[in-house]
Amino acid sequence: MLELRKVSKAFPGHVAVQDVSLTLQPGEFFSLVGPSGCGKTTTLRMVAGFETPTSGEILLKGELLNGRKPQERNVSTVFQNYALFPHLSVAENVAFGLRRRGVRDPRAQVAEALRTVRLEGKEQRLPAELSGGEKQRVALARSLVLKPDVLLLDEPLSALDPQLRRQVRAELKLLQRNAGITFLFITHDQEEALSLSDRVGVMNDGKLEQVAAPEEAYRRPASRFVAGFLGEVNWIGGTAVRPEATRISPTSCGQALPCRVVHTTFLGSVIRVNVECGECVGSTPSAELFPHQTGFATGQTAYLHWDRADELLLPS
């Protein structure tokens, strides 16, 4: 559906994107994830036509997009702040793009789009009368009504509070499945990317470090950066292991590593125990316990252990 071939973007004194090659399949939910400034939003803007690549090619359904204006590409963008027109009703916001395309009576298409995002009955409300989640769904409906080949989403959930964000995230996944449209989703939130995506691409410093299914990227990261960005990692000597795969015991057992408890943190579903040990210079690895398990006191001697199968095998 969408293909990027060695795409780069250079600004004066700064290369934002460097030789990114990527292929998105029809109907795929693909997330481009990475820290602020890694180049993910610039990549999206090049696909949308808001930025021009310095080099490389962007193709949509096999046709070259380079040189085409944004309105000449069958892609649509949902922006971080939704970009709704405050003086237009919900229905008028959704109809805006259709009217620009010359559709004289878009009522049927608008009604279908609003049913898709479950906003029936709110057609005449203004954006100021909507919740954050409803605004997000209006922005989605405005894009979906245009029947794009690819829907581009630039941090669309970042303005929502954590609870609403989780709710809308579940709705977004279902909506994408029902619509069958290819999504290119930009986020810096690792949990968001892992929970929503068919595949994720992890960017760092303008480069694409790994493209994989979420579980593969989490369990078999291609680099130390990917391992650390997608979740917490205990770096113990030359070994990397996730906290949830690290066990802690009050007594020695087998190949256990002696350590001293630094502090414990109650996180609701788990209790995190941070420790110091001789093999962990400059870091305090952690293990996770369920609340009903035996607690540990600060300063207590304990022992870390894990299964070899849970070690992250990183390239040397």
Side-chain angles (χ1 to χ4, degrees):
M1 180 61 70
L2 178 68
E3 184 179 3
L4 281 68
R5 297 177 180 170
K6 298 183 76 65
V7 172
S8 297
K9 178 62 178 179
F11 296 100
H14 172 59
V15 178
V17 177
Q18 186 172 344
D19 287 334
V20 167
S21 294
L22 181 63
T23 301
L24 273 63
Q25 302 301 324
E28 182 176 28
F29 197 125
F30 189 97
S31 290
L32 205 52
V33 63
S36 297
C38 71
K40 58 188 186 296
T41 294
T42 301
T43 301
L44 177 142
R45 288 177 61 82
M46 287 190 286
V47 174
F50 303 136
E51 298 285 355
T52 302
T54 305
S55 61
E57 296 178 330
I58 301 174
L59 298 94
L60 182 66
K61 297 173 73 172
E63 295 186 8
L64 190 66
L65 293 185
N66 295 50
R68 292 191 185 181
K69 298 176 181 178
Q71 63 270 26
E72 298 171 341
R73 306 171 183 221
N74 194 28
V75 301
S76 189
T77 307
V78 176
F79 296 99
Q80 186 173 353
N81 61 359
Y82 312 139
L84 301 179
F85 297 108
H87 62 290
L88 298 183
S89 68
V90 166
E92 290 168 336
N93 264 285
V94 176
F96 183 81
L98 290 173
R99 292 194 185 280
R100 290 195 64 182
R101 287 186 174 182
V103 178
R104 291 188 176 183
D105 186 3
R107 285 177 295 179
Q109 291 119 301
V110 169
E112 179 189 357
L114 290 176
R115 279 196 301 271
T116 301
V117 298
R118 297 186 297 108
L119 281 177
E120 307 100 311
K122 299 188 178 180
E123 292 86 352
Q124 300 311 312
R125 293 195 182 182
L126 295 173
E129 300 172 303
L130 302 175
S131 68
E134 288 170 337
K135 290 178 184 176
Q136 197 254 11
R137 281 186 273 161
V138 174
L140 282 168
R142 187 176 59 183
S143 289
L144 290 171
V145 78
L146 299 174
K147 306 293 185 185
D149 291 319
V150 179
L151 185 58
L152 310 173
L153 301 102
D154 186 13
E155 304 268 8
L157 309 183
S158 61
L160 306 180
D161 64 66
Q163 184 174 354
L164 181 58
R165 192 167 181 161
R166 285 190 290 271
Q167 176 189 333
V168 174
R169 191 165 66 199
E171 292 177 351
L172 185 63
K173 179 79 169 180
L174 181 61
L175 186 152
Q176 190 268 341
R177 286 288 180 262
N178 291 338
I181 293 175
T182 304
F183 274 26
L184 176 56
F185 185 86
I186 304 298
T187 182
H188 65 273
D189 188 303
Q190 305 93 314
E191 183 180 317
E192 218 162 72
L194 293 173
S195 63
L196 285 171
S197 312
D198 297 311
R199 289 187 302 152
V200 297
V202 184
M203 288 193 74
N204 179 33
D205 197 24
K207 299 176 183 177
L208 197 56
E209 295 217 355
Q210 185 172 7
V211 174
E215 185 173 351
E216 181 182 354
Y218 186 80
R219 298 188 183 280
R220 292 182 288 279
S223 67
R224 187 182 178 102
F225 172 82
V226 173
F229 187 80
L230 290 182
E232 294 191 46
V233 181
N234 292 328
W235 305 103
I236 305 171
T239 302
V241 61
R242 301 283 186 194
E244 65 270 19
T246 307
R247 301 177 181 85
I248 186 167
S249 305
T251 56
S252 179
C253 51
Q255 299 282 325
L257 192 68
C259 59
R260 184 181 71 84
V261 175
V262 177
H263 63 264
T264 62
T265 307
F266 177 71
L267 299 174
S269 59
V270 296
I271 296 172
R272 178 159 294 177
V273 183
N274 285 84
V275 303
E276 291 177 338
C277 60
E279 285 79 359
C280 314
V281 178
S283 68
T284 54
S286 62
E288 293 180 355
L289 304 174
F290 292 113
H292 66 270
Q293 292 179 280
T294 304
F296 289 84
T298 300
Q300 177 181 345
T301 297
Y303 297 86
L304 287 183
H305 56 103
W306 58 90
D307 294 335
R308 291 292 301 273
D310 290 323
E311 294 178 1
L312 303 180
L313 303 177
L314 300 173
S316 55

